[in-house]
Amino acid sequence: MLSIELGHFALILAFALSLVQVGVSAYAWQRPNEGAFSFVRHAGVMQFVLVLLSFAALTFAFVTSDFSLKLAYEHSHSLQPTLYKFTSVWGNHEGSLLLWVLILTLFGAAVAVGGANLPKASHNLVLGTQGFLTFAFIGFTIFTSNPFERLPEMPLEGRDLNPILQDIGLAIHPPLLYLGYVGFSVCFSFAIAALISGKIDAAWARWVRPWTMLSWIFLTLGIAMGSYWAYYELGWGGWWFWDPVENASFMPWLTGTALLHSALVMEKRGALKIWTILLAIITFSLSLLGTFLVRSGILTSVHSFATDPSRGLVILGMLTFFICGAFILFAWRAPTLKAGGLFSPISREAALVFNNLFLATATIAVLVGTLYPLVLDAFTGIKISVGAPFFDLTFGALMVPLLLVVPFGPFLPWKRASIAQASKRLFGAIVLSLILAIIVAAYLWEGFTLTPLGILLGFWVIIGALADLVERSKLFKVSPSVSLRRLAGLPKNVWSTSFAHMGLGLTVLGVVFVTAFETETITTMQPGDQIEAHGYSVRFVNEQNVPGPNFTSETATFAVAPVGKRENLVASEKRNYPARQMPTTEAGITTFGLSQVYISIGDRVEDNGRVVRIWTKPWILLIWIGTVVMALAGTYSLTDRKYRIAAPNLVRKQALGATK
Amino acid sequence: MTRKQKRLAIIGGLSAVVLTAVVFIAIAMRGTASFFVVPSEIQTQNIAINQAVRLGGIVKSDSWVKEGTSHNFLVTDCKTDIAVHYDGIVPDLFREGQEVIVEGALINNELFEATNVLAKHDENYVPKDMVDKFEEQGLCPGHTDEAYG
């Protein structure tokens, strides 16, 4: 099909256009003129259109099973369900890189269109930086990982997508994660533009915050989705493995969260400017580091497709260039910034600094745990592995003080505050969470562990977050109808802060519960057998061979019920994908309230028996519910009028007010 | 205190927190990191009993005996074999003659008790650490070529 060449051509055109955009942007920086500004904006939109065309051409080849395209031959199969033909496009190195570039240009175009209210010179520099990133990444795609390579002869059948990736998760997880990762490029471009122009003020923070929030929402959902996918697909019952690839996405999330909070201080109080700029640079640098770790092939995991080691060097070069370049610019320009508003060591600002301190230190812990084995191997050849025990210890210890302080934040006024006063207002929440934690911990007592502390922290963060709403609405102090009216009149950011913190508390509670109270039973069962597994009865109903579109399945059906309740039927499978001669395990998961029972089947044993592995996962759903609540809270804050991109006059007026 | 002293005190305090954390991270690293070894290194590197390690090698042909959930097999680097016991479900791609990584510790001089068994999960997946070691020490030549090819 000719469309493949058209797609290839569109990508090359976008590459050339991004270079021109950078050049014109540099020219317009020196000689500001409307024509050049307008060109830079339109170039940003055009790049997106071109990359979208190129992506569409690639997708078309996959969906129509055009195996003359090498990539489609290697990663697709004509019998795949249509959804997987779509997702196969990015279920490989080259295609996923093109998706990365597509999203980069999408953000470039969004800034070009949505940033019309920015001062022209700043807007120009932001777009120029974004164009430079696009140039580098399209270049990398075209020269080292071209997705449009053809085969001289067209094979009759493709080699199929890795069966582990043949799942709805591949349709959701990578795009969400990339939207988050790459979204931080906008914050990066804003930081670079601010450093070049030297204009860094509260208005800057106001422009950057919605982009940070947007990326943070996507990254939150992307990580949560990845975690849930790994949980149900890999069949090991784990939801987080501290695998380097997971850490790679978690680090920008941690610093992105810190950035959201520090930009707040900068916006409201004009303080922490240097630190906020640095965080914006660090966050995107960590996104790039993540891309490097995953795409270079230095790690082996389900994410790293078979890659050619020379690509790793090129990505490392790009990574070094962007990160070092940004830091050199930072070191050169940062000292010229004037320090902003002062604040006392006990104040809302100080609480947000505390948040940043612990998030940044936690990032260091994750970074060390992720990179140290790689560095040690590179320099000494000693191979060690750093796993969950290290991260649980260090990251866990750092989270305790952070979570203790979270509810205090919204109760502390700006500039100067008193802990005694905040504690007094939080007294009800302190007592309530203590009582709840003691009841729950006593009910589930399993000896002296850290579990009760974890339960207390979870309840404390949730109740503390709600306490803010209770306090502001004067609930129980005035009549219910007045409180209700007050509640409805609260600013959006109060609601979103409260709900985001509550989501965090829910996730913490879920993590603590499932870590402390999950159970695992491994046994052999015959059809008809019934066993008790920690409060649930599990009956092996039957086993059947079921054909799938591009696989065959041995499906075992179980009936699971909490003691004395109605039973749920759940199917657990072993599949075989003939195209790759590869078996997979599809876990059977059934939900009771917030808890789940998770069943994996193993090998067949004598007669009709099966090795069966049964986990009970109390309250595990809270982990993901919490992340969704966090993302929804973030989304709600984005609807705040003052961030509305379509309200340019208002924003400009406020920006002017803030700079005065 | 002057404004400057105040600022210095705050920066000092923040650095102290970060430094403490870094020291703590370093200590945690020494306590929790586990070494990656191939069977011949179990002796040469004096791996102690109950020391957590990751053992990489090839599941020796005709060595895998399973009884229900209990698995016994030999992990070899074509020079030395180590007997491994694992109670649980082995991964889908666990096969004799293929690469495997087991996590666990020696429980006596003879037997390695695995807490986790990892096999490749894609035909392109190669346990890189293991292939590197095999190539360095010239072990099992056929295997590494095929795995890298």
Side-chain angles (χ1 to χ4, degrees):
Chain A
M1 289 277 216
L2 193 63
S3 66
I4 293 172
E5 273 64 43
L6 283 176
H8 196 173
F9 186 65
L11 190 64
I12 295 169
L13 215 55
F15 177 66
L17 184 60
S18 60
L19 184 62
V20 177
Q21 186 194 27
V22 174
V24 174
S25 162
Y27 168 78
W29 171 46
Q30 291 301 327
R31 290 169 202 279
N33 68 84
E34 182 49 42
F37 287 155
S38 161
F39 177 86
V40 170
R41 279 199 307 274
H42 286 97
V45 177
M46 267 317 284
Q47 278 165 50
F48 170 64
V49 173
L50 287 169
V51 176
L52 186 65
L53 263 175
S54 140
F55 192 80
L58 190 67
T59 309
F60 185 74
F62 271 81
V63 174
T64 55
S65 295
D66 181 353
F67 298 128
S68 70
L69 183 72
K70 188 165 162 236
L71 205 60
Y73 158 70
E74 283 174 349
H75 302 282
S76 191
H77 194 279
S78 61
L79 294 178
Q80 271 177 2
T82 314
L83 175 71
Y84 300 155
K85 288 185 181 170
F86 271 103
T87 58
S88 295
V89 175
W90 57 81
N92 57 76
H93 171 81
E94 290 83 354
S96 72
L97 209 61
L98 191 62
L99 179 67
W100 208 98
V101 168
L102 177 70
I103 291 172
L104 186 65
T105 54
L106 169 68
F107 276 102
V111 176
V113 175
N117 48 30
L118 297 176
K120 292 241 154 70
S122 305
H123 194 202
N124 173 52
L125 285 173
V126 173
L127 290 175
T129 315
Q130 199 74 17
F132 197 49
L133 289 170
T134 309
F135 172 72
F137 277 90
I138 298 186
F140 178 69
T141 310
I142 294 178
F143 294 114
T144 74
S145 323
N146 196 334
F148 295 102
E149 219 172 295
R150 292 267 207 174
L151 289 172
E153 271 172 70
M154 182 161 157
L156 288 174
E157 188 49 273
R159 285 171 47 196
D160 208 354
L161 178 65
N162 181 350
I164 288 184
L165 301 178
Q166 295 195 21
D167 185 90
I168 180 81
L170 185 64
I172 307 169
H173 166 63
L176 278 179
L177 198 69
Y178 281 11
L179 281 166
Y181 254 12
V182 180
F184 285 119
S185 69
V186 178
C187 308
F188 176 84
S189 296
F190 267 98
I192 297 298
L195 286 172
I196 293 175
S197 69
K199 276 192 203 128
I200 305 173
D201 47 27
W204 182 88
R206 197 183 295 270
W207 299 326
V208 169
R209 249 175 72 80
W211 296 105
T212 314
M213 183 60 88
L214 194 66
S215 318
W216 180 86
I217 293 166
F218 285 127
L219 194 57
T220 306
L221 291 174
I223 294 174
M225 180 63 217
S227 152
Y228 193 68
W229 186 17
Y231 168 69
Y232 73 71
E233 179 69 29
L234 294 180
W236 309 331
W239 49 273
W240 188 261
F241 303 94
W242 292 111
D243 171 281
V245 173
E246 290 171 331
N247 296 346
S249 67
F250 193 45
M251 288 188 281
W253 187 86
L254 289 170
T255 56
T257 311
L259 179 60
L260 276 179
H261 290 85
S262 80
L264 194 66
V265 177
M266 183 167 164
E267 181 189 329
K268 293 281 192 317
R269 301 280 310 135
L272 301 187
K273 285 181 200 164
I274 298 178
W275 171 242
T276 305
I277 296 273
L278 186 63
L279 264 184
I281 295 174
I282 289 176
T283 303
F284 185 61
S285 301
L286 288 172
S287 296
L288 286 178
L289 179 73
T291 308
F292 164 67
L293 287 178
V294 180
R295 290 283 156 263
S296 64
I298 76 176
L299 298 173
T300 41
S301 88
V302 67
H303 297 85
S304 39
F305 310 111
T307 49
D308 153 14
S310 66
R311 283 174 188 158
L313 281 177
V314 180
I315 308 191
L316 186 62
M318 284 166 54
L319 179 77
T320 316
F321 173 80
F322 282 113
I323 297 179
C324 289
F327 279 111
I328 289 169
L329 187 65
F330 178 79
W332 177 42
R333 302 292 295 209
T336 64
L337 296 180
K338 283 203 199 81
L342 287 169
F343 51 87
S344 112
I346 307 292
S347 60
R348 170 133 3 141
E349 291 95 320
L352 292 166
V353 169
F354 187 89
N355 150 304
N356 271 233
L357 180 66
F358 277 86
L359 284 174
T361 315
T363 311
I364 295 175
V366 178
L367 186 69
V368 169
T370 310
L371 292 187
Y372 182 66
L374 298 173
V375 173
L376 191 69
D377 184 13
F379 286 102
T380 66
I382 297 173
K383 293 175 195 303
I384 61 164
S385 93
V386 175
F390 169 81
F391 294 104
D392 289 348
L393 192 61
T394 55
F395 185 80
L398 285 163
M399 282 303 107
V400 173
L402 182 62
L403 293 171
L404 276 175
V405 169
V406 165
F408 280 99
F411 278 88
L412 297 170
W414 295 103
K415 278 183 101 167
R416 185 176 292 278
S418 133
I419 292 190
Q421 211 144 43
S423 311
K424 219 161 89 193
R425 288 157 75 198
L426 272 165
F427 185 71
I430 294 172
V431 172
L432 192 60
S433 38
L434 267 173
I435 293 174
L436 268 176
I438 289 171
I439 293 174
V440 174
Y443 182 67
L444 297 166
W445 186 254
E446 285 188 345
F448 290 94
T449 56
L450 288 173
T451 312
L453 175 67
I455 295 175
L456 175 65
L457 283 173
F459 279 124
W460 165 236
V461 173
I462 296 169
I463 296 170
L466 287 172
D468 190 31
L469 295 179
V470 172
E471 170 86 11
R472 284 171 196 265
S473 65
K474 298 211 161 120
L475 198 69
F476 312 125
K477 286 185 184 150
V478 295
S479 73
S481 65
V482 175
S483 322
L484 212 62
R485 226 170 326 156
R486 286 186 68 101
L487 214 51
L490 286 179
K492 288 193 171 174
N493 59 21
V494 171
W495 280 100
S496 54
T497 304
S498 176
F499 272 81
H501 287 174
M502 202 168 74
L504 174 67
L506 291 172
T507 299
V508 169
L509 210 54
V511 169
V512 170
F513 254 76
V514 80
T515 310
F517 303 117
E518 74 173 348
T519 66
E520 183 183 350
T521 311
I522 302 175
T523 181
T524 52
M525 290 175 86
Q526 302 277 343
D529 282 0
Q530 176 159 350
I531 61 156
E532 293 295 317
H534 300 268
Y536 294 89
S537 72
V538 178
R539 186 161 53 86
F540 188 172
V541 180
N542 62 21
E543 182 172 328
Q544 285 166 309
N545 288 329
V546 183
N550 54 341
F551 60 85
T552 56
S553 157
E554 295 162 6
T555 306
T557 307
F558 296 86
V560 185
V563 173
K565 298 240 176 75
R566 218 166 58 88
E567 58 187 19
N568 284 358
L569 282 183
V570 54
S572 186
E573 299 177 49
K574 263 205 170 311
R575 289 185 184 167
N576 187 37
Y577 288 77
R580 290 201 171 205
Q581 280 301 312
M582 182 163 161
T584 68
T585 303
E586 301 290 312
I589 302 174
T590 176
T591 305
F592 299 95
L594 295 172
S595 307
Q596 293 190 322
V597 175
Y598 185 114
I599 303 177
S600 276
I601 54 172
D603 299 314
R604 203 170 250 148
V605 286
E606 71 268 15
D607 305 333
N608 285 319
R610 275 280 178 194
V611 177
V612 181
R613 201 163 173 180
I614 304 161
W615 284 269
T616 62
K617 305 267 179 189
W619 288 21
I620 191 163
L621 285 183
L622 278 185
I623 297 175
W624 300 294
I625 291 173
T627 58
V628 172
V629 170
M630 281 190 255
L632 286 177
T635 312
Y636 185 66
S637 85
L638 273 184
T639 62
D640 199 329
R641 278 179 67 91
K642 77 180 167 208
Y643 297 125
R644 187 102 35 93
I645 294 162
N649 293 328
L650 184 76
V651 172
R652 194 175 298 153
K653 230 184 326 187
Q654 281 177 339
L656 278 172
T659 46
K660 263 178 202 158
Chain B
M1 262 202 293
T2 64
R3 188 180 275 190
K4 197 163 194 185
Q5 282 173 325
K6 220 178 206 173
R7 181 159 287 172
L8 278 177
I10 291 174
I11 292 176
L14 298 185
S15 320
V17 175
V18 174
L19 267 179
T20 318
V22 169
V23 171
F24 178 63
I25 290 167
I27 294 171
M29 181 70 80
R30 291 189 52 175
T32 56
S34 60
F35 286 95
F36 181 87
V37 292
V38 294
S40 355
E41 288 173 331
I42 292 262
Q43 270 105 33
T44 58
Q45 295 203 353
N46 293 319
I47 301 297
I49 286 174
N50 288 331
Q51 180 188 345
V53 291
R54 283 152 60 89
L55 174 70
I58 291 160
V59 182
K60 196 167 188 174
S61 300
D62 302 321
S63 75
W64 182 15
V65 182
K66 55 181 169 181
E67 260 174 79
T69 62
S70 164
H71 301 266
N72 282 289
F73 52 92
L74 294 174
V75 171
T76 182
D77 56 10
C78 309
K79 214 162 99 187
T80 312
D81 301 344
I82 297 282
V84 176
H85 172 258
Y86 174 63
D87 193 35
I89 296 182
V90 293
D92 295 323
L93 289 177
F94 180 90
R95 282 168 202 165
E96 287 180 344
Q98 286 205 344
E99 299 89 349
V100 69
I101 292 176
V102 292
E103 297 177 343
L106 285 170
I107 48 169
N108 55 45
N109 286 330
E110 246 96 86
L111 189 65
F112 188 97
E113 179 70 33
T115 50
N116 206 358
V117 174
L118 310 167
K120 52 187 195 172
H121 41 214
D122 172 352
E123 86 274 31
N124 289 324
Y125 171 91
V126 258
K128 189 163 163 296
D129 285 352
M130 197 193 94
V131 175
D132 286 354
K133 287 234 165 177
F134 275 23
E135 282 195 339
E136 255 164 48
Q137 304 177 14
L139 301 164
C140 301
H143 248 275
T144 53
D145 287 354
E146 176 217 43
Y148 246 18

